[in-house]
Amino acid sequence: MPEAPHLDERLSAAARLVKPGVPAADIGCDHAKLSAWLVCTGRCPRVIACDLREGPLQKAAATCQEYGCEDRVELRLGSGLEPVKPGEAESIVMAGISAQTTIEILEAAPWVKTPGLRLVCVPATKVWVLRRWLWQQGFEMLADEPVRAQGRWYTALSAEYTGRCYEPSDRDCAFGLAGPEGMEPGYRAHLSEKIEKLRLGAKANPDRLQRLERLLNELK
């Protein structure tokens, strides 16, 4: 039996940001490879793996059986964080969920604003929207790492609540913690392409167009 599932770069990035030695919750767990990896490697003693649908949970059950970790991964059916009680997990992982859906899940569970509770998010889309929301809501960004998996770029974020709300600039939301100076060339090109598409769609909004052009100039 393999010791732990193989994770692609996206899930590996999420796994690195999970708090070690404490329980975690994997929201939208799908096949639960991340959950199984966390317990099989000893990163977490226990994981609550949740999904909205029965199908993914059946896959998750098969994964846990394959790696012999059924006793350490608890599968729960439900929407967002509804299946998780406050205090049951010290890391909340949401990987592969859109930024907007991630925000909706967090807004429906105000107990995530607990100091020391870590959020680990790898949004499928619009990471800049999630960055803005986290800062505005009083979360401190601990990590902000671009990662390439299966031909696509993602960003792995981790954040914890401090209560210190911050109104980020467009630059903060677009570039994250590292800024353009710390970006590898591949991610810089990816981001330039995305901002260029936004710029082309903003011609009717001069103010937004000017802001986007400033971001593009910083990436050159």
Side-chain angles (χ1 to χ4, degrees):
M1 179 184 295
E3 292 184 1
H6 171 75
L7 302 182
D8 67 9
E9 290 82 354
R10 178 177 64 94
L11 291 181
S12 292
R16 288 195 300 271
L17 299 180
V18 170
K19 252 184 172 179
V22 293
D26 183 5
I27 307 304
C29 67
D30 195 20
H31 42 53
K33 286 185 178 179
L34 175 60
S35 299
W37 188 95
L38 291 172
V39 297
C40 289
T41 60
R43 181 80 178 186
C44 296
R46 176 172 170 266
V47 174
I48 301 168
C50 306
D51 207 283
L52 181 62
R53 295 166 296 153
E54 287 279 5
L57 285 184
Q58 291 174 1
K59 293 181 188 175
T63 297
C64 293
Q65 185 174 17
E66 179 181 354
Y67 292 96
C69 58
E70 305 99 314
D71 58 332
R72 289 164 289 164
V73 177
E74 182 180 349
L75 305 179
R76 297 184 185 177
L77 179 68
S79 175
L81 281 161
E82 289 176 4
V84 183
K85 296 177 183 177
E88 283 192 300
E90 292 190 44
S91 289
I92 304 293
V93 184
M94 287 177 280
I97 301 172
S98 74
Q100 188 56 48
T101 299
T102 299
I103 290 169
E104 290 168 4
I105 289 171
L106 295 173
E107 286 179 333
W111 54 268
V112 298
K113 291 183 175 181
T114 299
L117 174 65
R118 181 171 299 179
L119 304 180
V120 176
C121 305
V122 190
T125 58
K126 297 185 178 179
V127 64
W128 58 87
V129 173
L130 183 56
R131 285 190 185 112
R132 184 182 298 278
W133 186 88
L134 289 168
W135 272 316
Q136 288 175 332
Q137 295 297 313
F139 288 88
E140 178 185 0
M141 211 76 74
L142 304 178
D144 191 329
E145 303 176 4
V147 59
R148 189 169 174 82
Q150 298 176 3
R152 284 190 58 191
W153 281 99
Y154 299 89
T155 304
L157 306 175
S158 70
E160 294 184 9
Y161 183 72
T162 64
R164 294 188 293 272
C165 300
Y166 168 60
E167 188 57 47
S169 66
D170 290 339
R171 186 183 193 276
D172 293 329
C173 295
F175 300 151
L177 293 179
E181 305 81 9
M183 289 179 190
E184 61 177 274
Y187 185 69
R188 181 189 290 263
H190 160 77
L191 191 56
S192 295
E193 184 179 334
K194 289 188 75 69
I195 294 174
E196 177 62 27
K197 287 180 180 177
L198 291 172
R199 189 186 73 83
L200 291 173
K203 290 183 177 179
N205 186 334
D207 180 59
R208 178 169 169 76
L209 181 62
Q210 188 177 52
R211 297 200 309 269
L212 291 168
E213 287 175 342
R214 282 199 296 265
L215 295 177
L216 277 174
N217 287 334
E218 280 207 63
L219 288 170
K220 291 178 180 176

